[in-house]
Each structure stands twice: as C-alpha cells, then as structure tokens.
Amino acid sequence: MTNLPPPAEELRFLDAELRQLDVRRATLLRRRAWLVHTLQATAARQPALGPGTAPVGPPAGTGAAARRPEATAPGVQNVLLVLGGVLLTIAAIAFTLVSWGHLGIAGRALVLGALTVGALGAPVALLRRGLRSTAEAVAALGTALTVLDAYALHEVAFPGTDGAGYTATASAVLAALWAVYGVRLGLRHPLPLAVATAHLPLLLGAIAVGAGPYTLTAVSLATAAGGTTVALRAALLPVRIVAVTGALGTGAAGVLSAGWLCWSASGPGPAARAAALLLVAAALALVAGRFVPRPEISVGAAFAAGLCVVAGAGGVLRVTVPGEWTVPGCLACAIALLAAERTRLHHPLRQGLVRASAAVQGFAVLWTLPLVAGCVLGPAVRGAGAWSGTPRDFRDAVFAGLPRPPYAGTAPLVLAVVAAVLVVAGHRTARRPAVTVAAPVLGWAAALVLPVVLQLPYAAGLVAHAVVVAAALFFAVRLGRADKRPSPPSLTALLLALVTSVGLALVSLASEPATIAVLGTLTVLFAAAGLRPGPAPFAAPAALCHATALACAIGASAGRPPHHTALLVLVVPAVAALIASRTGGSRTGGSRTGGSRTGGSRTGGSRATVPVEVAGAAAGLLALALAAPEPPMLALVLSLCGAVAAATALRPERRAAGWAAAALFLLATWVRLAAWDVAAPEAYTLPVTGPALIVGLLRRRRDAAVSSWTAYGSGLAVTLVPSLLAAWDDQHWLRPLALGVAALAVTLAGARHRLQAPLVLGPGVLALVALHELTPYLAQFVGALPRWAPPAVAGLVLLILGATYEQRLRDARRLREALGRLG
C-alpha cells in the first residue's frame, strides 16, 4: 500500500530532485578537477628532488597513519557553518533587542530589510556555485531574521494589537513564506519549519477571539487533521517527522479535552457536542490508519478510534441513563465495534477496532471486580458469628461487615454479556484455550453475584449458590477425560466449584439448620463427582472435608461436647481408608480382559488415592484435637486411629502405615495408663519392648546378617533403662528383684545365642542393680574402717593396676575380640 502523490506534485518533486543532482554533479566535477591538478603538480615536482633522493615526509605505513585526520572534511564544514549561523542569529537578536532604540525608523527598516534580503538572497548565488551547506546555513539565518522582522513590525507598526492575534497572523504568513522559499530553492530546513509553524495559527487565533473549550478542542482536532494530511502527502522525511509529531500532539490534546468535556458535562446537549468531537477524532484516526503504509501504526490508530467512539457514547449515556447503566452502555458500544470484522475495512483497521472492543470489555469486567471479590471474601467475616441468626436477605449474609459497592446492580449483566461474547468469539480465535477458561470464570462470577444483586431471601440465595456448585461439578464431569489428567476447562470448573462451596459453607453458618443442610448437600455433590476418575483427585477430598465439617456441625447441634464429637469425626478417616483401598490399585493399567477402559479408571483412581488419604489424615488430626481435653476419650480416639492405620497397612503399597498404627496404639496405651494414674514405668515400656523384640526376631530370621543391636538393642533398652532409673530411687525390694531377674534372663539368653546386645545390656543392668542393693552395706563397711584405709586401698589398687597394665590391656583386647565374635 504505497501512497502515490498526484502527478503534478510528483513532477514538481522530480524536478527538485534533478536540480539537486545537477548541483551535486557540478560540485563533484570541480572536486575532480582540483584533485587532477594537485596530482599533476606533485608529479612535476617529484623529479626536482634528484635521483636517489627520498621524498620528504613520514615513512610509509607509520607517519601517515599517525597523522590521519580525526574529523572528516564535511564534519568540519558543518560545524563551522552551524557555528557561524548561530553566532549571526545571536548577533541579530541582540541588535534587535538592545540596539534597536538607537536608530530611527528609516535606519531600523533599512538595517533589517537589508539583512533579511541579503540573508534570503545569498543562498541563490551559493546554490549556483554548488555550496549547498553554506546556502543552508545562510538561509537559516534568513528565516531567523524573518521572525525578528515580524517582532519588529509589531513593536513599530502595530504596538496596540493583541499579542495572540498578531502571533497567529505572523505565524501563518511566516509558514507560507518559508514553504514557498524552501520549495523554490530546494532547501531542506524551511519546509519543516513551515510545517511546525503552521500548527500555531488556528490555535492562537481561537485564543485571540476568546473561543470556548469546545471551539478550542475543535481547532486542535482541525490542526491535527492538517498535520496528518501533510504527513501522509509529504515526500521529505524531516517534513513527515515534524508533521507526525505535531499531529500527535494536537490530536492527543484535542481527544483528552473532548473526553473531559464529555464525561464532565452536566446535560445531554454539552455531552453530545463533546461526543461529536470524539467521533471526529475517531474518523480522523481511521482515515490516517487507512493510508499509513505500516500495519502496526494502522492498528494503533484504529484502536484509538474505537476508544474515542466508546468514550463519546459513554459520556452521553452518563447523563441520560441511571448511573448503573453507564458501564453496560459502554459495553454495548464495544460489542458493536466487533461488527467491523464483517466489513470491508482494511485488515489492520479491523484488528485495531477489535482490540479496542476487547480493552473496553476488560475495563467493564474490572468494574465488577469489587462486587465479585466481596461475594467471595465476604462470607469469611460471617464465620466469627456462627449460628448468630438468619439474616434479613442474602446480601446481608454475604456482605456482613463489608462495604457494598455502588452501582452494582448491572454487574451480573456485564459479566454474562462478556462471557457470551467470549463463547461466540472462541470459535474464530487462535487463543481458544484461554477463551475456554475465561468464559466459564465470567459466567460463574455472574451467577455468583446475581443472588446478592437481586437481594434474594437467605434460603433462596443458599439454594442458588448450591445450584452454582452443582452446575460447576456437572461441567467438570462432562468436560473431564477419564483416561488423562483433567483438561483446563474441567480443572477450572472444579476450582470454581471448590471456591463456591467454601463460600457457601461459610455463609450457611449464620443458621443452624442451613449449616447442616448445606454441608450435607455439598458432601453428596462432591462425593457424586468423585465417582468419576477425572475430577476424583479434587472432588473426593472436598467431599471428605465437607463431611468432616458436617460431623462437627451435627455434634454441635446435638449439644454433645467436643470429645464426643471426635468419635463422629472419626467416621471420615475410616471412609477415606475404605475409598483409598478401592482406588489405590495397580498403576500400570487394566487387566487383559478389561481393556483400556479399566486401565484408565484404575489410573484415575490411583491419582485420587493420595489426596483422599491426606484428607482422612487431616480429619483424624481434627478428631485428636477435639478429644485432647479428655484423656480417656483421647485414648479411645488414638486406638481407633491406629485401627484405621493398621487397616491401611494391609495394602501392599502402604506397608509403612504399620509403623504409624503401632505408634498410635502405643500412644493410646500410654494415655489410658496416664488416665488411670499408673506411675510404674514398666506399664509404659513393656508394650513397646514386646512388639520390638518380636519384630527383631522376625527380622533376624529373614536376614542373619542383621546385628543384635539393630534387632534387640532398642527393644531391651526401652524397658531396662527406665526400670533401672526407677529402681535406683525405689526403697522397696520388689522392683530391684524383678529387674535383676530380667537382666539375668537377658544375659543367659545372650550367652546361649552368643548375641552381643543382650550380653552387654543384661550384665550392665544386673551389675548396677547389685551395686544399688549393696550400697547400704558398703556404706556401713566404709564407715567402720579407719579414715586412712580408703586412701591406702586406693593406692594399693593403683599399684597393682600399674604393675599389670600391659597384661590387662592384652586381656581387655581378647575380651573385646571375643564379644565381637558373638552375634
């Protein structure tokens, strides 16, 4: 799409270019003649040096490179010319402003006229000689002098004229003179200056006549239209750059002014006039986008045009319809822009209008965000006042303690319309996955806020949100794939169902019957959805969570204390273990006869196993927390949790749950003993020692390389060490006797089977028990001896040990080796 000028304009442009080529050719020919003359003169002087005489100058390859010029000749020329022009311009300004009063009228006119005519006429002669850069510099001085002439003329001839009006007239005259001057001589800088100055006359003239804001806005748009026309038709790049910059500046000012006038108008008339200005700006942007050769600029122009149209329509609607219908009206205008897709407009223009429509729809959705956020987060405040009484309506139940957004009555309509547009557009867009996720979210938001906007009764609002949950689960089941992971639409529907169910459960806390009914309904809905393998990893745990909340609500409704409610909550872990046992089968696929369908189901079920078990474990922890204040009930709950864990450990892939079951049974035993005020440590340690020794025995039977410390060390130490500590402070004889007999039995068993752990623990405990029993007698014996006897005995022992140190070390080494050879 190339913008071709009219034939007359193109012919004029070609003639100007040919003149410039002729001037450039003459310059190059003169430069060539000078170079030829220089070379001939150098060749004529070379023989005069004589044979064998080296020419004076730097060595080849060294000095020449060292004395290479750092600046090019054209660069030096431009610097000198620009500096000279600037200095002359400054001198002219200083003369006009400072020395003007020292001359008479004739002298002033003569000086300025002579300077201006000379500066503007000199480029003609300079161009004939091929000195284009010098001509440009002198012409720039001449253009600056014309501005000074205009200023001087106002000060002398029109001192009482309004400044804005005179400036508008002067700028128009100067723009015309510079344009003619630049075209006639083929100079570069006058045309951009003329275009830049041409943006001033209309605006300054409107200000001079005291125009109002509507007129000034229209003048700005008219100036932008003129700049756009110049930018589209100009052939020189500097002229196009200046025209585009001016058009963008004045156009943006006009659009902002028209938008402010439209949205701040107090009546339909002023709003309509401002909207008309916005429509003019939109038309101007569309025309510019149609003839711009670059597609991205066309898209941007059409985008701005679409926004101007919607802004104008919205400003009119703001003063003609109720406030809550302003956004829907803007949305309707944005949807109307989508009709451009079926027109014959230029493709970039259609694309820009569609993007503008999408932007307005996005703003409309953002307008509804406070209401949607309040409906999602508001129920969390209601949770602090559980069963405080049935609210007056559903809006009071949701927005308890939160401010209500204004003009929210049409929010469901906005959300529903945008969702419908996305559904329709999803068939023709390349971003269909994103559309299939965004459309359900918007539809869900519309259904979520509708009961609040309509102020339905409390019960009706609960039913409406329950229907939203059921619909989301239905779509999740329908869109899910049994043999694969959940698709994005199915996963989105599941998440929406979960979010809605949480908010619904929190809102239902206001009334006791509503809480039980809602939790029961949610449990059934998610349990039904969990029967399908696709949504099972999300729906099944959600059903268990709602069931846990339902059990707590039933217990509280029945007036039972929390530790009794814990027994009801334990039903959830039991059910979770049962479900996990049914879904946690083989992960490799179905049987040979079952086909792929069986394998896909088992695979989907296996994905739900871990979430179901986590939900069951969480319910078990809640039951333990509820039963913690009552130790007897806590022991019962621990035992039941241990039974559930033991049942889980029967599955081959969950053997590790047996350790958890053993720990729970042990904790249950300890809690029960503590509730019975049992203080004997053996009552707590023997239930650990027995199973630990049995496990060690079975392990050594399977693997003879297992050390006796690994198999029996921990089991024996659990009972022997606490009993030894208790016996050391026990004043009776029964505990030391029983502990000594047990230690002797352990020693004999270790000797019989040559096991290291029993041979170390048993004799050690037996020796300490014997020492404990002989301590009174040793104390009496030591008290009967003279005071010098203990030191003497100690010294004698040290002498004996020192005398036989080497032999004792050898014997100790042999004893260690013998113990090492034991099991």
Side-chain angles (χ1 to χ4, degrees), residues 337-685:
L337 291 178
L338 295 176
E341 278 287 341
R342 299 185 178 275
T343 62
R344 296 184 177 181
L345 284 175
H346 196 42
H347 176 70
L349 297 181
R350 298 200 306 269
Q351 189 177 4
L353 292 176
V354 170
R355 291 185 180 181
S357 175
V360 175
Q361 294 179 51
F363 284 122
V365 172
L366 290 178
W367 174 73
T368 65
L369 189 59
L371 179 62
V372 177
C375 293
V376 174
L377 303 177
V381 181
R382 171 64 65 178
W387 296 354
S388 58
T390 303
R392 181 177 57 184
D393 54 38
F394 194 69
R395 187 180 67 176
D396 292 338
V398 172
F399 280 91
L402 291 178
R404 299 180 181 124
Y407 301 120
T410 56
L413 177 62
V414 170
L415 293 169
V417 170
V418 176
V421 171
L422 287 177
V423 171
V424 174
H427 300 286
R428 300 193 302 269
T429 181
R431 300 179 179 179
R432 187 169 183 178
V435 172
T436 56
V437 172
V441 172
L442 294 177
W444 163 80
L448 186 70
V449 302
L450 184 61
V452 176
V453 171
L454 297 179
Q455 298 185 19
L456 295 179
Y458 178 65
L462 293 178
V463 173
H465 275 201
V467 171
V468 173
V469 175
L473 290 176
F474 174 76
F475 283 109
V477 172
R478 288 291 302 272
L479 298 175
R481 296 172 290 186
D483 55 339
K484 299 180 181 178
R485 296 185 181 274
S487 61
S490 175
L491 184 60
T492 302
L494 281 172
L495 294 178
L496 295 178
L498 290 173
V499 172
T500 310
S501 67
V502 173
L504 178 59
L506 292 174
V507 171
S508 68
L509 290 177
S511 173
E512 178 180 348
T515 302
I516 297 176
V518 167
L519 291 176
T521 303
L522 293 177
T523 302
V524 173
L525 290 176
F526 280 97
L531 297 178
R532 296 295 298 271
F538 300 91
L544 293 175
C545 292
H546 289 304
T548 303
L550 177 62
C552 295
I554 292 175
S557 177
R560 308 306 301 173
H563 58 275
H564 288 171
T565 305
L567 295 177
L568 188 59
V569 174
L570 280 179
V571 177
V572 177
V575 174
L578 180 61
I579 295 173
S581 65
R582 298 293 300 274
T583 60
S586 174
R587 299 174 183 265
T588 59
S591 62
R592 294 182 179 178
T593 59
S596 60
R597 184 174 181 180
T598 305
S601 177
R602 296 295 289 263
T603 304
S606 64
R607 290 199 301 269
T609 301
V610 174
V612 166
E613 291 175 343
V614 171
L621 292 176
L622 178 61
L624 292 176
L626 292 174
E630 293 293 331
M633 186 60 67
L634 178 60
L636 178 59
V637 172
L638 285 169
S639 300
L640 294 177
C641 290
V644 174
T648 303
L650 295 177
R651 292 157 47 197
E653 70 276 10
R654 291 291 184 266
R655 296 300 187 194
W659 297 102
L664 290 171
F665 282 129
L666 178 62
L667 289 175
T669 303
W670 287 355
V671 171
R672 173 53 65 181
L673 292 174
W676 287 339
D677 296 329
V678 176
E682 290 79 10
Y684 297 90
T685 57

